[in-house]
Amino acid sequence: MNTVSAAEPVWSDRLDLGEGIRWLPGGPVLVDILSGRLLRGPLGQEGGPLDELARLDVPLGSVAPIAGRPGQW
C-alpha cells in the first residue's frame, strides 16, 4: 500500500504567483508574477530564503539572461 505525505516547501518565502523557474549556474531563478519580483533561490536541497534580484512596479511575466552580460536580464 502506498501512502501520500504532505509536501514540504523548499523555500520559506511567500510568492503571490511564482512561475518560470530556470536553473542557471548560480542557482534557480524565477519570477513572482503578481508582485513584479525576479528571485534567485538557494543551490542544493537545503532550502533557504529567496534573494530578490529585481522588483518592478508592474507584473513581471518572464525574464531571460542576456548573453555575454552576467547578472543582466
Side-chain angles (χ1 to χ4, degrees):
M1 175 187 226
N2 292 337
T3 60
V4 177
S5 60
E8 294 186 28
V10 175
W11 299 311
S12 60
D13 298 290
R14 174 78 171 125
L15 301 173
D16 289 325
L17 181 58
E19 290 194 7
I21 193 165
R22 297 177 61 114
W23 295 93
L24 301 174
V29 174
L30 65 145
V31 296
D32 191 2
I33 295 173
L34 300 178
S35 69
R37 298 186 303 157
L38 172 61
L39 305 161
R40 181 183 311 275
L43 287 173
Q45 296 180 2
E46 69 279 354
L50 296 170
D51 295 325
E52 187 174 285
L53 301 178
R55 180 184 292 254
L56 303 177
D57 293 331
V58 296
L60 176 60
S62 65
V63 298
I66 299 175
R69 296 185 181 177
Q72 293 190 5
W73 303 90

